[in-house]
Amino acid sequence: MNFRKLSAILCAAMVLNLSFVYADDIDSKKEDLNKTQEEINKVKDNIDGTKSKKNNVEGEIAELEGEINTTNSDISSIENNISQVKSDIEKSKKEIKESQATIDEKNETVNKRLRAMYKNGNDVSYLHILLSAESLGEFIETFDTIKKVTNNDHDLLKEMEKEKKIIEAKKDKLTSQEKQLKLQTVKLKEKREELQLASRSKNELVKELDQSIQVSEEQYNELKNDSEAITNEIKNLEEEARRKLEAMKKAEEEARRKAEAERQAAEEAKREEQSSNQSNSSGSSSSQTASKPKPEVSKPAPSSTGYVWPISGHKRVTSPYGYRIHPISGSRRMHTGIDIGAPTGSIAVSVRDGIVLSSGWRGGYGKTVMIAHDNGTTSLYAHNSALLVSSGQFVKQGQAIAKVGSTGNSTGPHSHFEIRVNGNHQNPLNYVR
């Protein structure tokens, strides 16, 4: 077995070893990361929903407190009105009492006046007074006097009785108003108790929601920590894979260098042997033609940064890296890579030597290939119609890895290409221009 075959077997063994050691681990960790992220999203949605519910309940509490304050104000106002009505009732009672005393006093005054007109004691009557007149003129004058006195006193007494009735009616009205106000007060106090009970119930609900939010946030933080831990494990696996890849490339280069040295030594020995044979056989005119080495398969020329263009024969960038209006959702979002226009079936190639971290369906990316490279970068090729490599496979720069398509969230055939460093997206044109 020559050294060339030995080095090929050695490199193949190293590639297979990398495939088994890292590909399964990385895919498993990525699956764990996706599941953890799904749990994080669920918990976050739960937190957001609970906080929204809490805000609604707090708004309801604020409305209840406002109603309670309004009810308290109404109760206070009615109680003030009741106090005022009671005061008016007492005032009316006093006025009725005073009016009755005045009426009694006026009655006494009338009686005194009549008694003063009596000339012969208690047996004197109006008729006796009239008949005692000595002349017709005196009779008429006496009659007018008695009539005026009687009419005036009668009118005065009627007016006073009328005023008394008005005051009593006012008192009855105030008493009725007092009863109505007391009834309103009772109803408002019942309403206040109901509002206070509802407010206490809402406050208890807020406490329960706060506890739920606290538990969910603790769960969210725990899941975030798990996610970060898994991400770090993936980075460590990728970094280890890159170190192994670099070591493998060095070993491959050393094996190639030794094989080349061996080939040159063999050719030199062959030339010496041919020269010796020609010296010994001068009569032979035939010459042996040395076999020409097979030409190496050409590959795309890398850029100054060591990368080749990802889509063979198509270099039109239809959507650059950076913020843009998303073609499907219509919202302003960060475009984490570049879109390269190409028809379905166009060949996507690896921009650099590397190990395939994943090859399969990835949500909105559709059919996607991710490749880890020896310099710490990772390339991503999305929306493919077909995948030509599998996880853990070693690929060379310029090797076909997928066919362009429109899978996932895509408006038409194109390749979405990304470059990431430690998981963070970069402008791909800084690498493959």
Side-chain angles (χ1 to χ4, degrees):
M1 182 183 295
N2 62 30
F3 194 80
R4 183 185 295 275
K5 290 183 179 179
L6 180 63
S7 63
I9 293 172
L10 178 62
C11 290
M14 293 180 69
V15 170
L16 289 173
N17 182 55
L18 282 171
S19 300
F20 286 117
V21 172
Y22 298 108
D24 291 342
D25 286 345
I26 290 174
D27 281 345
S28 175
K29 292 299 179 183
K30 286 184 181 293
E31 184 177 352
D32 292 343
L33 182 61
N34 290 335
K35 290 179 180 178
T36 303
Q37 188 60 50
E38 288 178 2
E39 290 297 322
I40 289 174
N41 293 336
K42 289 179 182 178
V43 173
K44 188 175 185 303
D45 289 342
N46 183 45
I47 292 173
D48 292 341
T50 306
K51 285 183 176 180
S52 177
K53 186 175 181 181
K54 177 187 173 185
N55 291 335
N56 292 335
V57 174
E58 287 178 338
E60 293 173 2
I61 291 174
E63 290 179 2
L64 288 171
E65 293 295 334
E67 290 187 48
I68 290 172
N69 292 335
T70 300
T71 303
N72 286 333
S73 178
D74 292 342
I75 291 173
S76 178
S77 176
I78 290 175
E79 288 176 343
N80 289 336
N81 289 341
I82 291 174
S83 298
Q84 183 63 44
V85 169
K86 284 183 176 180
S87 176
D88 292 342
I89 289 173
E90 291 300 320
K91 183 179 178 182
S92 296
K93 287 180 179 180
K94 185 177 179 182
E95 289 176 351
I96 292 170
K97 187 176 181 181
E98 290 175 351
S99 179
Q100 185 62 52
T102 303
I103 291 172
D104 292 342
E105 184 181 349
K106 292 297 181 183
N107 276 326
E108 181 63 25
T109 300
V110 170
N111 290 334
K112 285 181 180 180
R113 186 181 295 117
L114 292 174
R115 284 195 297 270
M117 295 176 66
Y118 293 162
K119 291 183 178 180
N120 296 315
N122 294 333
D123 296 328
V124 179
S125 65
Y126 285 130
L127 181 60
H128 183 76
I129 294 171
L130 290 172
L131 293 176
S132 66
E134 296 179 356
S135 64
L136 181 59
E138 185 180 353
F139 178 86
I140 294 171
E141 183 180 355
T142 300
F143 180 80
D144 288 340
T145 300
I146 291 172
K147 184 178 180 182
K148 286 179 181 179
V149 170
T150 302
N151 288 340
N152 287 338
D153 288 341
H154 182 70
D155 291 340
L156 179 60
L157 290 172
K158 282 179 67 177
E159 187 66 30
M160 293 182 70
E161 286 293 341
K162 183 179 179 181
E163 182 179 352
K164 179 184 174 184
K165 288 180 180 180
I166 292 173
I167 296 172
E168 286 179 343
K170 179 180 178 182
K171 180 199 133 185
D172 292 341
K173 183 178 179 181
L174 289 170
T175 302
S176 176
Q177 185 178 352
E178 180 186 16
K179 290 180 180 178
Q180 291 178 357
L181 289 172
K182 286 182 177 178
L183 181 61
Q184 290 180 21
T185 303
V186 171
K187 290 182 177 180
L188 284 172
K189 287 182 177 179
E190 290 176 352
K191 179 181 178 182
R192 180 177 63 186
E193 289 178 1
E194 292 175 358
L195 292 171
Q196 288 174 339
L197 180 62
S199 179
R200 286 194 295 271
S201 176
K202 295 293 183 182
N203 278 302
E204 288 298 323
L205 179 57
V206 167
K207 290 180 181 178
E208 293 176 5
L209 293 173
D210 280 335
Q211 291 175 354
S212 177
I213 290 171
Q214 182 179 356
V215 171
S216 296
E217 286 181 340
E218 289 174 357
Q219 184 181 3
Y220 176 81
N221 291 331
E222 184 176 347
L223 288 170
K224 285 287 286 182
N225 291 335
D226 290 345
S227 175
E228 291 175 0
I230 293 172
T231 300
N232 289 331
E233 289 181 29
I234 291 174
K235 288 180 179 179
N236 291 336
L237 287 171
E238 289 177 345
E239 182 60 31
E240 188 171 355
R242 289 188 180 101
R243 287 198 300 269
K244 292 287 186 180
L245 175 62
E246 187 176 354
M248 185 191 73
K249 288 182 68 177
K250 288 181 178 179
E252 182 184 13
E253 178 62 25
E254 180 66 19
R256 188 196 63 76
R257 187 184 61 79
K258 289 182 178 181
E260 179 64 21
E262 184 183 70
R263 183 187 65 79
Q264 291 179 356
E267 288 181 353
E268 181 64 26
K270 188 174 183 180
R271 282 196 296 272
E272 290 179 356
E273 182 180 355
Q274 289 176 345
S275 177
S276 175
N277 290 337
Q278 286 177 354
S279 298
N280 295 329
S281 305
S282 57
S284 176
S285 59
S286 63
S287 63
Q288 298 181 355
T289 305
S291 60
K292 296 182 180 180
K294 296 181 180 179
E296 294 185 0
V297 178
S298 63
K299 66 178 183 179
S303 67
S304 58
T305 56
Y307 294 77
V308 297
W309 188 256
I311 305 300
S312 179
H314 301 278
K315 305 199 75 170
R316 184 171 64 92
V317 176
T318 57
S319 183
Y321 171 86
Y323 282 98
R324 66 169 183 173
I325 301 300
H326 195 275
I328 295 177
S329 67
S331 59
R332 186 174 183 269
R333 293 184 183 179
M334 179 65 190
H335 189 220
T336 54
I338 59 173
D339 290 345
I340 302 170
T344 299
S346 300
I347 298 299
V349 301
S350 177
V351 294
R352 192 180 178 99
D353 291 355
I355 295 176
V356 178
L357 293 178
S358 65
S359 178
W361 189 273
R362 186 173 292 273
Y365 281 130
K367 293 182 178 181
T368 304
V369 176
M370 291 180 62
I371 301 174
H373 305 293
D374 58 345
N375 64 343
T377 63
T378 297
S379 56
L380 180 148
Y381 316 74
H383 304 311
N384 299 292
S385 61
L387 305 177
L388 307 179
V389 292
S390 57
S391 296
Q393 181 178 341
F394 172 74
V395 293
K396 299 290 289 182
Q397 186 179 57
Q399 179 178 334
I401 58 171
K403 293 182 178 181
V404 172
S406 185
T407 56
N409 294 335
S410 171
T411 57
H414 72 283
S415 176
H416 174 83
F417 174 71
E418 294 185 11
I419 289 290
R420 291 179 176 260
V421 178
N422 294 325
N424 301 315
H425 52 78
Q426 308 290 324
N427 187 346
L429 295 180
N430 294 335
Y431 296 82
V432 298
R433 184 185 293 276

